[in-house]
């Protein structure tokens, strides 16, 4: 007997639903329910930030006043650094490069002078690189900014400013937000979003195109590739007309662009510009000549490159569940029934499962978590039996990427092992920060360039991430250095899932069996100026069902039901119940 689903309305997720609705653009949601605690976005006030005029140095200012004035001048809005340069010696002003990085500090102690050096002690700070990509927390040894000050033309001036824009977090939250620049994976099969921060304002289209032309951020070098020719510029701006068409006039010494390259270039521009709500289409000229558009159209819709989207082609929202050891398939509007393949048979013994993004294959953990088998979802005469991939270990739920690569975490007493099946064989991949640790769960992004895992340290859990470097023929070469996606907060993490191309949903047990917290965090680990959703809900939540596919609902999964967190619709399960529910991937 298969579980049957019946839709009802739930009231346990209201504040989370409201917060997620802000992210999704939804409205008219309930606002009541037994929620213990919730908090919303870290993003600043949605109202336009006030202009700030930087003040030049006063005659006769002391060393301390000059340094304090220099820091204040960097908060000019709209951003400009000409006044800040007036606090520097002529030589220092000529060499100062505030675009090299951004330091965002939460607070600082008063500027002080000691032995001719003026110092500023930051209590905590985070760093962005030159492209605006998040680089994480500044080390404790770098939190003290020392300034040498000398006399020039009778006034104190700074000799050695840091090559950075140094600004308070409160200022940054109000004036910057995170967007994605879209590049391709190395096989040019799927677009990969690279999150960066850009200033608020009416020049978003210009900021997006300028960022894309600059090429991938440093940490994405070797991970992604761009089909936008290097050495191009856009001049003053990217104008958007009343019809929503962005005119992109590119200039430079680019080589001729083939039709194939033009298609991929347009896909990058379209997905990047679709984040500007005022843009519906684009036109591109290259050194004055119109870039040929597919089909001979006069403008290219921002929705035209859906096939290259970061969630992969198709956008399936099919659901898969495990019930009584069998694999079930269905949707939120249909029953969950056993699949026709061998994993749907009685006695299949499935403990955990992951279905490939094309909905054709399933990797199942069985024998109490001690074996991993690969089988077709539906009955197949060409592959009637399941293939054993791994045996004899303690395996977490597998995870698929869009290229059909299967990732499996094996938990070992001496440290975790990451296994990769690429269609030809199974091998281990050394993933710094995950391999050899007390990692418990693992999930790969749909584009195949990011890996996140739950890692236990000192009895608390953190989410650790790493970028994956893949060759042009799809072979995984290595993993990059690890970074913290979500720092330990004292509770055990019981599940994680990709809730968007650059967002990870994390389920933690605040009070196991009674209270659970759902956090949706930035996959790059950014904690300032990003939309962060968090709430605590009642009941024994088994896990999360989430997907990077646009508009795919996120579900909280219980043994007898699954609940759409935004719509608050509860889908009841029959007497057999379920032990897992998830989307493909």
């Amino acid at each position: 007997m298969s579980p049957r689903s019946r839709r009802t309305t739930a009231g346990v997720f209201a504040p989370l639903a409201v917060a997620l609705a802000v992210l999704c653009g939804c409205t008219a949601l309930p606002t009541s329910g037994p929620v213990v605690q919730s908090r919303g976005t870290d993003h600043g006030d949605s109202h336009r930030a006030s202009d700030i005029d930087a003040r030049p140095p006063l005659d006769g200012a002391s060393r301390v006043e000059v340094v304090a004035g220099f820091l204040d001048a960097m908060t000019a809005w709209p951003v400009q650094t000409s006044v800040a340069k007036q606090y520097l010696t002529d030589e220092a002003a000529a060499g100062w490069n505030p675009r090299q990085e951004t330091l965002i500090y939460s607070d600082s102690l008063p500027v002080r002078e000691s032995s001719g050096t003026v110092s500023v002690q930051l209590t905590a700070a985070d760093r962005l690189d030159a492209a605006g990509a998040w680089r994480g927390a500044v080390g404790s040894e770098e939190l003290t900014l020392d300034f040498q000050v000398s006399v020039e033309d009778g006034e104190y001036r700074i000799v050695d400013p840091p090559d950075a824009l140094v600004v308070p977090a409160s200022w940054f939250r109000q004036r910057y937000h995170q967007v994605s620049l879209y590049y391709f994976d190395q096989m040019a099969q799927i677009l990969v979003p690279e999150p960066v921060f850009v200033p608020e304002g009416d020049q978003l289209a210009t900021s997006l195109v300028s960022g894309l032309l600059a090429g991938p951020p440093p940490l994405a070098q070797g991970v992604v590739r761009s089909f936008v020719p290097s050495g191009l510029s856009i001049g003053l701006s990217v104008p958007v007309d009343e019809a929503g068409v962005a005119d992109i006039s590119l200039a430079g010494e680019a080589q001729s662009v083939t039709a194939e390259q033009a298609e991929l270039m347009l896909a990058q521009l379209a997905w990047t510009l679709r984040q500007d709500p005022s843009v519906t289409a684009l036109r591109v000229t290259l050194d004055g000549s119109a870039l040929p558009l597919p089909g001979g159209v006069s403008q290219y819709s921002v929705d035209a490159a859906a096939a290259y989207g970061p969630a992969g082609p198709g956008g399936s929202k099919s659901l898969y569940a495990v019930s009584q050891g069998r694999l079930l398939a269905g949707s939120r509007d249909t029953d969950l029934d056993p699949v026709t393949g061998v994993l749907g048979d009685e006695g299949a013994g499935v403990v955990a499962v992951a279905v490939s993004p094309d909905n054709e294959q399933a990797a199942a953990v069985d024998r109490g978590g001690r074996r991993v088998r690969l089988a077709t979802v539906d009955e197949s005469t060409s592959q009637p039996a399941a293939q054993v991939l791994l045996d004899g270990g303690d395996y977490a739920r597998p995870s698929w990427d869009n290229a059909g690569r299967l990732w499996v975490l094996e938990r070992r007493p001496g440290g975790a092992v990451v296994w990769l099946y690429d269609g030809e064989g199974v091998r281990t991949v050394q993933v710094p920060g995950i391999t050899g640790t007390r990692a418990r769960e693992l999930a790969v992004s749909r584009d195949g360039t990011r890996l996140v895992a739950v890692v236990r340290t000192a009895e608390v859990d953190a989410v650790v991430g790493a970028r994956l470097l893949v060759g042009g023929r799809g072979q995984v070469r290595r993993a990059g250095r690890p970074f913290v996606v979500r720092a330990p907060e004292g509770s055990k993490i019981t599940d994680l899932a990709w809730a968007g191309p650059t967002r990870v949903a994390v389920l933690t047990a605040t009070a196991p069996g009674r209270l659970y917290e759902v956090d949706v965090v930035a996959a790059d680990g950014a904690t300032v100026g990003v939309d962060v959703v968090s709430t605590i809900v009642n009941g024994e939540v088994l896990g999360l069902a989430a997907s990077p596919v646009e508009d795919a609902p996120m579900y909280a999964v219980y043994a007898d039901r699954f609940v759409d967190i935004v719509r608050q619709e509860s889908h009841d399960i029959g007497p057999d119940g379920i032990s897992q529910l998830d989307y493909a991937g």
Side-chain angles (χ1 to χ4, degrees), residues 212-448:
L212 193 63
L213 293 181
L219 287 182
Q221 298 287 340
V223 176
V224 298
R225 61 187 300 194
S226 179
F227 289 90
V228 178
S230 60
L232 297 178
S233 63
I234 56 170
L236 294 177
S237 67
V238 175
V240 181
D241 65 23
E242 293 182 355
V245 180
D247 276 305
I248 306 171
S249 298
L250 302 177
E253 298 181 358
Q255 298 177 349
S256 60
V257 177
T258 65
E260 292 78 9
Q261 183 181 359
E263 180 183 358
L264 299 176
M265 175 180 172
L266 287 167
Q268 286 183 242
L269 287 165
W271 272 88
T272 299
L273 279 171
R274 66 188 290 173
Q275 297 167 99
D276 185 335
S278 69
V279 178
T280 59
L282 55 97
R283 286 188 292 261
V284 182
T285 59
L286 185 57
D287 287 330
S289 299
L291 190 71
L293 302 180
V297 297
S298 61
Q299 58 194 39
Y300 190 82
S301 170
V302 294
D303 298 321
Y308 294 114
S316 172
K317 298 177 184 177
S318 298
L319 293 170
Y320 296 91
V322 175
S323 176
Q324 302 292 309
R326 306 169 72 184
L327 174 60
L328 314 180
S331 70
R332 69 178 184 181
D333 299 318
T334 63
D335 295 330
L336 294 168
D337 293 314
V339 300
T340 58
V342 295
L343 298 180
D345 294 344
E346 291 189 16
V350 177
V351 174
V353 70
V355 174
S356 60
D358 60 9
N359 300 286
E360 293 184 0
Q361 293 184 299
V365 180
D366 60 10
R367 289 188 176 174
R370 311 298 293 180
R371 184 176 70 172
V372 179
R373 291 192 297 163
L374 181 67
T376 58
V377 172
D378 296 322
E379 186 176 11
S380 171
T381 56
S382 61
Q383 189 179 339
Q387 175 187 358
V388 176
L389 297 181
L390 296 165
D391 199 0
D394 177 13
Y395 305 107
R397 182 179 61 199
S399 183
W400 294 86
D401 64 29
N402 184 68
R405 293 180 292 255
L406 179 69
W407 298 81
V408 183
L409 179 75
E410 181 183 353
R411 312 177 187 104
R412 291 184 181 179
V417 174
V418 178
W419 293 95
L420 170 65
Y421 174 72
D422 58 6
E424 297 181 358
V426 180
R427 64 181 177 91
T428 61
V429 177
Q430 188 79 13
V431 183
I434 300 175
T435 299
T437 69
R438 296 171 64 192
R440 311 303 301 164
E441 303 291 338
L442 174 149
V444 66
S445 61
R446 186 64 56 87
D447 56 43

Side-chain angles (χ1 to χ4, degrees), residues 16 20 23 40 486 497-500 502-507 517-523 526 530-535 544 554 565:
L16 176 59
L20 281 175
L23 302 184
R486 180 182 182 272
W498 286 92
T502 61
R503 290 292 184 266
V504 177
V506 181
L507 179 68
E517 183 171 359
V518 181
D519 297 317
V520 180
V521 299
V530 295
D531 294 316
V532 177
V533 179
S534 179
T535 196
L544 296 173
M554 183 193 301
I565 292 176

Side-chain angles (χ1 to χ4, degrees), residues 6 10 27 84 90 118 126 163 168 207 251 305 349 352 399 431 439 462 464 473 519:
R6 180 172 59 85
T27 57
D90 290 343
V118 180
D126 296 291
D163 283 329
S207 297
S399 183
V431 183
V464 175
R473 291 184 292 180
D519 297 317

Side-chain angles (χ1 to χ4, degrees), residues 1 73 117 136 145 151 223 236 253 267 283 290 293 337 343 363 444 465 482 496 505 507 514 516 529 539 541 550 568:
M1 179 179 179
T117 298
L145 303 181
V151 176
V223 176
L236 294 177
E253 298 181 358
R283 286 188 292 261
L293 302 180
D337 293 314
L343 298 180
V444 66
L496 82 166
L507 179 68
R514 296 187 296 109
Y516 290 80
V541 183
E550 189 174 5
Q568 296 197 73

Side-chain angles (χ1 to χ4, degrees), residues 4 18 52 75 84 179 183 221 234 281 364 485 556:
R4 317 293 287 181
V18 172
I52 298 176
T75 64
V179 297
Y183 302 94
Q221 298 287 340
I234 56 170
V485 175

